[in-house]
Amino acid sequence: MGLTLTAYGVIMPISLILGGAAGFIMHRAGFCMAGAFRDLFLFRQTFMLRQLLLLVVVSMILFEAARLVGLLPLYPFPLLGPPTLASLAGGALFGVGMVLAGGCVVGTLYKAGAGSALSAVALIGLIAGSTLYGEIHPWWGAFARATILGKGRLTLPEEFGIDPLLPITLSVAVAAVPLCYWIRTGKLQRRSAVSGYVQPWLAAVLLALTGLFSYLLVGMPLGITTAYTKLGAFVEQFIVPGHFAGLAFFKGLPLNYLYPLTQERLIGGPGPAFDAVAAVQYPLLLGLVLGGLLSAILAKEFRFYFRVPLRQYGSAFAGGLVMGLASRMTPGCNVWHVFGGLPILASQSLLFVLGLFPGAWLGGKLLTRLIIRD
Amino acid sequence: MDSEPKTPQVLEFDIRGQICPASLLIALKEMNSCKDQLRNGEVQLVIKTDNRDATITIPDAVENMGYAVNVQRVDDYYVIVVEQGH
């Protein structure tokens, strides 16, 4: 065959397609993860959290089935770290940030694509915050290494030295009880008058499939935030070249794995170079924006709104900044940990999600006391 | 202004482009502060929003509080009208 398949040649178009699909689906279903956690506290509303549980359970089944038939040679997937207090603290900070920004690291992208000026500002904050982490990395990294919990294994099954099948099956069985109840009582459905509405339960199933395809074809689930760091690093190296050259964080190459489909070694990190992280995450980022844009255009809802109270711009930027910083402190974002880590019972992901709750509570308090008032 | 008004006073809020969940928060706040005027039909709330989620959450909250609600699509956004229950 004259055509040689390279890892980047497969990964880049696949990431673009998966990002586009996810952005489109999330926009249509209003699949806002920041809202899911925020509204639990602001309105005692759990509708979107139920959908997230469904997403995690479906992903658990899909990932475990794929692992059992030998389709996941990389298990646990690359870039996961040991559980530390840094992930818990990072999750809490991330929770505050995503509520103030009005969307998570992915929500910000599809909303910006659909014409939200606030989300575009949050995006700038995200890039700034992700890059700012380079300044605190030496001592924050030391804090993380000093607070490793338990044996420091990557997943709960590994921590207890057992095969994942039993704990995964148990988790699915326990979660299936409320899920079945909600399905029977119609609590996963809702009426909507908006154009082209996709039911969030359907979105949850489709997003779980997106995660599976990413794991199978890219080698890991959806992740996006190192791309923000790379974009910021790209700018910083020109503004303060001397200072930038001294930052150790941007020289690290935490991604290093054997790509299953072509057996090439893929390496990458937060530095500005075009490496494996860029090949995986840049197309995903672009796809998420384009997916939101396409959905809004087809629903005839695209409009660039910018006349909003100034303090909301402040909130979006500050929220983005905090969220970007937190995503590097954790490390990882909500999509990485909820769509990818929780389904394999990654300890880091469990801590991160635990932290999201108090963070979202605090974010909601700040939002209603300081930002949204007339 | 003691006489019964024939048509309700319209309080309009343009929340388009604003941060989530501004539409729902402002709707709840106004429904509370204009409780009596809404109940006896003196006031009608009109909320313009581009937030798809608000077209579900606001009607849910409104119906719980016993008012009538109507969601309509206008151009590229949505108009939610809250008024005296029927």
Side-chain angles (χ1 to χ4, degrees):
Chain A
M1 212 166 79
L3 194 76
T4 354
L5 215 55
T6 63
Y8 287 5
V10 182
I11 285 174
M12 292 182 65
I14 284 174
S15 285
L16 184 70
I17 293 167
L18 292 179
F24 190 94
I25 295 164
M26 289 170 110
H27 179 261
R28 284 301 163 100
F31 209 90
C32 178
M33 286 170 74
F37 287 89
R38 176 197 67 212
D39 293 351
L40 168 68
F41 300 105
L42 277 190
F43 307 114
R44 302 272 173 268
Q45 174 62 252
T46 54
F47 181 78
M48 282 310 293
L49 278 182
R50 283 177 231 145
Q51 313 295 343
L52 282 185
L53 182 67
L54 176 69
L55 189 155
V56 170
V57 169
V58 174
S59 302
M60 267 183 175
I61 298 169
L62 292 174
F63 288 4
E64 186 59 10
R67 185 189 73 86
L68 288 171
V69 296
L71 288 173
L72 301 179
L74 302 167
Y75 189 98
F77 47 81
L79 283 180
L80 271 180
T84 71
L85 287 186
S87 300
L88 189 66
L93 209 55
F94 192 97
V96 177
M98 72 178 180
V99 172
L100 288 181
C104 71
V105 290
V106 165
T108 297
L109 291 174
Y110 80 76
K111 287 175 189 179
S116 162
L118 282 175
S119 292
V121 168
L123 186 56
I124 296 169
L126 264 169
I127 295 172
S130 306
T131 313
L132 203 60
Y133 174 75
E135 309 298 322
I136 64 163
H137 175 68
W139 65 267
W140 186 260
F143 170 71
R145 283 189 297 277
T147 58
I148 291 177
L149 304 172
K151 293 183 209 146
R153 300 286 152 76
L154 302 186
T155 67
L156 279 190
E158 284 185 355
E159 184 74 24
F160 295 105
I162 47 176
D163 188 81
L165 182 60
L166 180 69
I168 294 281
T169 310
L170 272 177
S171 306
V172 170
V174 169
V177 176
L179 281 172
C180 288
Y181 171 76
W182 295 329
I183 290 170
R184 267 192 293 120
T185 50
K187 287 210 162 67
L188 289 181
Q189 286 267 359
R190 66 184 184 187
R191 295 174 290 131
S192 176
V194 295
S195 328
Y197 188 62
V198 171
Q199 283 291 333
W201 68 261
L202 179 59
V205 173
L206 293 173
L207 289 169
L209 282 170
T210 314
L212 176 72
F213 285 132
S214 177
Y215 201 166
L216 291 175
L217 302 172
V218 177
M220 55 193 155
L222 304 172
I224 192 97
T225 40
T226 311
Y228 292 127
T229 319
K230 292 182 87 68
L231 287 170
F234 186 77
V235 176
E236 190 183 352
Q237 65 176 343
F238 294 116
I239 299 176
V240 279
H243 176 70
F244 183 78
L247 295 173
F249 174 63
F250 296 103
K251 299 191 175 72
L253 295 168
L255 182 65
N256 186 337
Y257 72 114
L258 204 60
Y259 180 57
L261 299 192
T262 62
Q263 296 302 313
E264 280 166 84
R265 181 147 294 278
L266 298 185
I267 295 170
F274 191 91
D275 55 17
V277 171
V280 172
Q281 297 191 355
Y282 282 161
L284 191 63
L285 192 150
L286 184 67
L288 281 159
V289 175
L290 294 179
L293 173 69
L294 186 68
S295 169
I297 288 176
L298 291 178
K300 296 191 173 63
E301 285 179 13
F302 181 81
R303 158 101 61 105
F304 193 64
Y305 291 105
F306 58 91
R307 282 189 200 163
V308 300
L310 197 60
R311 66 172 73 214
Q312 292 191 12
Y313 279 108
S315 179
F317 182 78
L321 191 86
V322 168
M323 187 162 48
L325 190 64
S327 71
R328 293 283 47 87
M329 289 162 72
T330 301
C333 65
N334 58 327
V335 170
W336 175 259
H337 287 299
V338 176
F339 291 23
L342 277 190
I344 65 163
L345 296 173
S347 311
Q348 206 178 46
S349 307
L350 288 160
L351 289 169
F352 173 81
V353 173
L354 205 62
L356 282 181
F357 286 93
W361 169 80
L362 181 60
K365 285 270 181 248
L366 293 171
L367 193 70
T368 48
R369 301 247 165 110
L370 304 176
I371 310 301
I372 304 175
R373 31 191 270 196
D374 44 3
Chain B
M1 278 283 287
D2 280 331
S3 60
E4 282 282 306
K6 288 202 171 64
T7 50
Q9 184 198 351
V10 174
L11 295 181
E12 193 181 286
F13 299 89
D14 188 350
I15 322 290
R16 288 177 293 166
Q18 291 201 25
I19 200 161
C20 295
S23 305
L24 178 56
L25 281 170
I26 289 168
L28 288 173
K29 190 170 161 244
E30 294 305 322
M31 281 193 285
N32 273 319
S33 62
C34 311
K35 207 181 286 175
D36 297 331
Q37 295 100 308
L38 264 173
R39 209 142 264 163
N40 59 30
E42 284 170 31
V43 154
Q44 185 185 52
L45 299 179
V46 173
I47 297 152
K48 290 182 178 175
T49 182
D50 63 329
N51 184 324
R52 292 166 64 89
D53 201 41
T55 65
I56 304 167
T57 54
I58 294 179
D60 279 353
V62 170
E63 280 165 8
N64 280 337
M65 294 172 87
Y67 306 121
V69 63
N70 178 36
V71 181
Q72 242 180 351
R73 164 123 189 199
V74 179
D75 299 331
D76 47 13
Y77 60 94
Y78 296 91
V79 174
I80 303 172
V81 178
V82 180
E83 56 196 353
Q84 185 182 29
H86 303 303

